[in-house]
Each structure stands twice: as C-alpha cells, then as structure tokens.
Amino acid sequence: MAELSERLRHLPSVDQLLRDADPLVEQHGRLRTKEAIRTALDAARTALQNGSEAPDAASIVAIAHGLLEREALPSLRPVFNLTGTVLHTNLGRALLAEAAIEAATVAMRQAVSLEFDVAAGQRGERDDHVRELLLELTGAEDATLVNNNAAAVLLVLNSLADGRQAIVSRGELIEIGGSFRMPDIMARAGVELVEVGTTNRTHAKDYAAAIGERTGLILKVHTSNYRIEGFTAEMPASDLARLARERGVPLVNDLGSGTLVDLSAYGLAKEPTVREAVAEGADVITFSGDKLLGGPQAGFIIGRRDLIAAINRNPMKRALRVDKIRLAALEATLRLYRDPDRLAARLPTLRALARPLADIEAQAQRLQPLVATTVAGIATVEVVACRSQVGSGALPTSTIASAGLALRPTQGDGRAVERLATAFRALKVPVIGHVEHNALLFDLRCLDDEAGFQDALAAGSYDLA
Ligand SMILES: *Cc1c(COP(=O)(O)O)cnc(C)c1O
C-alpha cells in the first residue's frame, strides 16, 4: 500500500503538466486544457490503483490532447452523403451554390441593406430583396417568404381561415417526416379541417358540397412523399380553381418541393412547376427553398396581392421571418434561375440530380481499389448499379439510375454489416451510406469532393473489431 501511495504522489501535478502543454493552451484555451489534464490525471490515478504502470508526463498530456481534440469537433459536422438520397432532410437537404455561399458570407460579415431602402435613405422591406425575382420566375402577382414551408402553410392557414374551415381531400392529408401532419397544423392554425372525398377518389361534387358559410379556404396539398395509384380520381387544379372562384373561396396549393424549372429537361420525371401551379389559378401557393429549388431553408408564399397583404399583416409573420444570411443566399440562388443554360452547372442540387450515369460509374471504378484496400480482410467491394432518390418529398416514386460500391462483410454474424456502417460513420469526416440486402451501399451520385473522400479514408481509424 505504501508503495502505491508513493507512486501516486509521484504523479506530476496539474500545474506541472499545464506548463508542458503550451501548444494545447494556445489552441484550446487554459480553462479547457486544465480540465482535460485533470481528467487525464484522474485516469492515470485509477490505472495506478488498478495495478498498471505509472504513465509519464508526456503520455498524460497526450491523453489530454486526445480529449481536447474530440471535444473540439463541432457537433454539426460535414459528412459524405452517399445515401443515394440527394435532398436528404437529415443531412441538410440542398447544398448551396457558390454564389449563394458568397452572398451569405458577405451578409454575415458586413452591415447590409436588410430593411433599408438605400436610394430613399429610409426603412425598406426585407421581402423586397426576393419579391421581384419570385414574380419574374413564377408569374405570380405578389410574394412573401418565411422560415420554411411548414411555417408558410401554418401562416397561410391562420391568416386566411382562422376560426373557419379549410376543405381538404382525404387523399391529401399528408404527414411529412414525423411532426408535420396536415390535420395537426390545421388545428394549431386555428382552422377546422373539413375532409372531403375518399382516400383514392375525390370529385368536384365533394368539394362543391362542402363549401359553405364557414369555409375559409380550399387547400390542395401536393402528395410529396407518396402516390395513390390504381382506381383514383383527383380534381384537376384548374377545375378546382374555377370552382373556388365561382364560390368566392380562396384556393391554396401547398406544392411542397416546388420546382422553378421543368425537370424533364434534365432527364428527370416531370414535376409540376411553380409557374404551372400559378397558371392553373391557385390564389396562394407555398413551396420550400431547400428542396428542388436548391437554396437555403425557406418557405415561399406567392399569389394574389390582397391575400399576400393579409398574410403580411398577420403578427405571426414576424415570428416566422427569414434572417439576413438566408435572405442573401436565397436572392443569389434565385438569380441563378435567370440564366437557365448554366443552371445545372451552378446549382449543386440540379447538378447532382442530372449527373450523367457514365460519370458516376467511372468514379465507382476509380474508387473501388481504395475502398477495397481500406476494408481488406473485412469486406469485399464491388461496383454496382443502384438507384438514387430525389428525397425530401419530391418525385417519391421515380428513382434515378446511379452507380456505387457495395461492401459485403466476408465473415461474421448478421450484424457485421452494421458494424461496417458504424466504422465508416466513425471516420473524421463520417461516410454515410445505407444498408441493403446485407451490404453497405455507397451511392456515389453526390460525391463531388472525391479527393476529400480519399483523404477521409486515408486518415481513418478503422475500428472494425
Ligand atoms: C416538404 C413539405 C412541407 C414542409 O416543408 P419544409 O420546407 O420542410 O418545412 C410541406 N408540405 C409539403 C407538401 C411538403 O412536401
């Protein structure tokens, strides 16, 4: 025992160790470094008590260094999205165009004319930075914007139908990712939901019969993340718009993703454009900024001037507004749409969606040897054909031919593939694939930074045991 207490006494003190740790103090600050040294010392003490050798000062500092490095990793970190879902909600959806990143950086660094009319030298409107662009790109009469499309729907419902009814087809009562359920949003907006039709068929007469004294609006919802197929009937939006107009009730169309360009021009399935929805006669249309549009998170509300004015008068608008950083990025993103010829080259979302298959296949061939070396003895790696998804509730039933790598564990139980996935997530820059048929699949459609990926693998710690 005496010997143990002797050895414990011989451990260096926190202050001694701190003197050896100048570079750490420089990088992480005195407070955190001291804390890490204390933790490392505690561990050394416990190890001694358990009969281990006494670590020297250098190795205690090295342990503290490791703790500090881990602690310094930001929580919101870059990852490689090799899931095959281009607009992955959990991985941040759209990547921004360089022009948008630059604009956002300026807005962060400098004072900007956020609500200031520079020419007149007086107060301006925050929405004005994107209003004209939105009108030009959609053909709408007026426009405003809020935090996201969920907020847009909430604000529109509350502004136009608080204490009254909203008529929705039973085929369109959507749930999107967990907590966005149309009936719940309605209730929170103070709107009474009136369901019409059936899951698969809703007719003009169903809507017509439901319109009454207490009707605030008719809501059409894009069934973003599912399709009802088979014996179905849906009222065409233009017919619905005509009915709404005849009965003096506004028609609101929640487009969800809402694209500003015809995606079929890029070899993708046709999705109704925002301009088409405007032409069909909806009075108000809502759509997202960070889905197919390829910008930062935002919710656009476009449509009839009197209705947009009513929406802007709602005090809730202030609670849902967009900040200057995103506004700058949005303006820059929308501007890219004025030059359609170069859009696919400049907008990462469109670039990823329209990426030629041969390009992805060639990349898979190039990376196969490296990945195979990385997991040598643990898994085989094969170039495979796969199918990407747009994601975020856009084009739910159409997938895009892609290519990637399938990693199949050579031995072990059924959980070996999960362990492989975990090991790739534990890399300095985590690589996120998805597990399919007992293989870890990396769809390479979204792998833009190939060199970065190679570095991540090279720097990796492969704890595959
Ligand atoms: C995605 C989506 C929303 C929610 O939009 P966010 O921008 O994610 O808030 C609402 N309605 C529909 C139809 C959608 O597809």
Side-chain angles (χ1 to χ4, degrees):
M1 275 323 272
E3 199 198 326
L4 175 61
S5 64
E6 182 71 6
R7 285 164 70 198
L8 284 170
R9 223 181 2 260
H10 272 93
L11 282 175
S13 71
V14 173
D15 285 332
Q16 277 169 328
L17 291 168
L18 205 51
R19 278 195 290 277
D20 294 343
D22 263 353
L24 294 186
V25 173
E26 186 62 34
Q27 198 183 345
H28 300 282
R30 179 162 301 272
L31 180 70
R32 296 314 314 158
T33 305
K34 200 165 175 177
E35 198 57 40
I37 286 176
R38 213 171 260 141
T39 307
L41 256 182
D42 283 345
R45 229 170 262 127
T46 309
L48 266 182
Q49 279 157 351
N50 294 336
S52 303
E53 281 296 305
D56 59 8
S59 48
I60 296 173
V61 170
I63 287 168
H65 188 178
L67 290 172
L68 287 166
E69 295 263 281
R70 220 166 307 150
E71 187 183 287
L73 271 184
S75 169
L76 186 68
R77 303 159 59 188
V79 301
F80 287 103
N81 172 15
L82 306 189
T83 60
T85 301
V86 176
L87 295 167
H88 198 300
T89 297
N90 306 136
L91 300 181
R93 291 191 185 162
L95 309 186
L96 299 202
E98 281 308 316
I101 295 167
E102 275 168 36
T105 307
V106 170
M108 283 191 276
R109 210 169 260 145
Q110 283 164 251
V112 286
S113 58
L114 179 61
E115 290 178 350
F116 187 71
D117 182 334
V118 177
Q122 60 194 29
R123 195 183 187 288
E125 279 293 325
R126 163 183 310 246
D127 290 0
D128 282 352
H129 302 291
V130 292
R131 180 182 284 116
E132 288 304 320
L133 278 164
L134 282 167
L135 306 192
E136 175 190 321
L137 295 167
T138 64
E141 212 173 83
D142 204 353
T144 183
L145 78 164
V146 286
N147 178 59
N148 59 10
N149 190 35
V153 173
L154 177 72
L155 182 64
V156 169
L157 288 171
N158 181 262
S159 304
L160 306 184
D162 187 16
R164 285 183 296 155
Q165 299 176 332
I167 301 170
V168 190
S169 160
R170 286 198 170 89
E172 298 175 357
L173 287 171
I174 58 166
E175 169 177 319
I176 299 166
S179 52
F180 186 87
R181 286 181 149 187
M182 202 44 94
D184 299 342
I185 296 283
M186 290 247 175
R188 295 291 173 144
V191 176
E192 185 190 331
L193 167 63
V194 177
E195 301 175 28
V196 295
T198 60
T199 305
N200 55 328
R201 292 173 74 83
T202 303
H203 306 281
K205 62 177 192 289
D206 297 322
Y207 284 104
I211 299 173
E213 296 253 289
R214 299 193 47 235
T215 305
L217 56 85
I218 298 173
L219 178 65
K220 183 165 179 56
V221 187
H222 185 53
T223 55
S224 322
N225 48 8
Y226 63 98
R227 285 278 179 273
I228 296 176
E229 287 174 352
F231 183 56
T232 64
E234 176 186 4
M235 200 171 160
S238 47
D239 292 353
L240 195 53
R242 196 171 315 115
L243 174 68
R245 207 170 317 119
E246 279 167 17
R247 306 288 295 266
V249 176
L251 171 66
V252 175
N253 189 351
D254 174 18
L255 267 187
S257 198
T259 173
L260 294 177
V261 291
D262 181 0
L263 294 172
S264 58
Y266 300 91
L268 299 162
K270 172 95 183 119
E271 177 88 336
T273 66
V274 178
R275 184 179 284 281
E276 284 163 0
V278 171
E280 282 165 355
D283 297 290
V284 172
I285 294 165
T286 64
F287 57 102
S288 285
D290 57 350
K291 292 184 180 174
L292 285 170
L293 194 134
Q297 180 187 302
F300 296 104
I301 305 170
I302 63 171
R304 248 169 60 191
R305 190 166 296 124
D306 59 323
L307 300 179
I308 299 294
I311 290 163
N312 278 328
R313 281 195 301 272
N314 188 335
M316 261 194 192
K317 166 84 193 298
R318 174 68 161 75
L320 303 172
R321 74 183 184 186
V322 173
D323 70 283
K324 62 181 176 180
I325 305 167
R326 282 195 279 154
L327 203 50
L330 278 172
E331 183 188 352
T333 305
L334 290 172
R335 279 180 188 280
L336 297 179
Y337 281 90
R338 304 184 82 193
D339 184 359
D341 297 340
R342 279 183 283 189
L343 189 62
R346 291 173 167 173
L347 199 67
T349 299
L350 201 52
R351 190 164 67 221
L353 289 172
R355 193 173 164 203
L357 178 58
D359 209 44
I360 310 172
E361 281 168 348
Q363 188 178 40
Q365 294 292 352
R366 270 198 310 278
L367 290 172
Q368 190 275 341
L370 172 70
V371 179
T373 310
T374 304
V375 297
I378 296 157
T380 60
V381 180
E382 188 192 353
V383 173
V384 292
C386 55
R387 313 235 11 131
S388 311
Q389 298 183 346
V390 177
S392 282
L395 307 169
T397 49
S398 73
T399 53
I400 318 164
S402 186
L405 299 170
L407 286 66
R408 289 193 181 80
T410 43
Q411 61 220 1
D413 49 23
R415 288 201 303 278
V417 67
E418 292 297 344
R419 283 201 296 275
L420 199 58
T422 306
F424 276 93
R425 286 200 311 275
L427 292 176
K428 282 223 170 90
V429 182
V431 176
I432 319 287
H434 80 275
V435 172
E436 199 179 285
H437 304 309
N438 221 19
L440 175 60
L441 194 71
F442 292 154
D443 181 330
L444 298 182
R445 171 172 300 279
C446 295
L447 183 56
D448 204 22
D449 180 14
E450 191 171 322
F453 178 73
Q454 288 166 328
D455 287 349
L457 292 204
S461 61
Y462 305 96
D463 183 16
L464 295 163

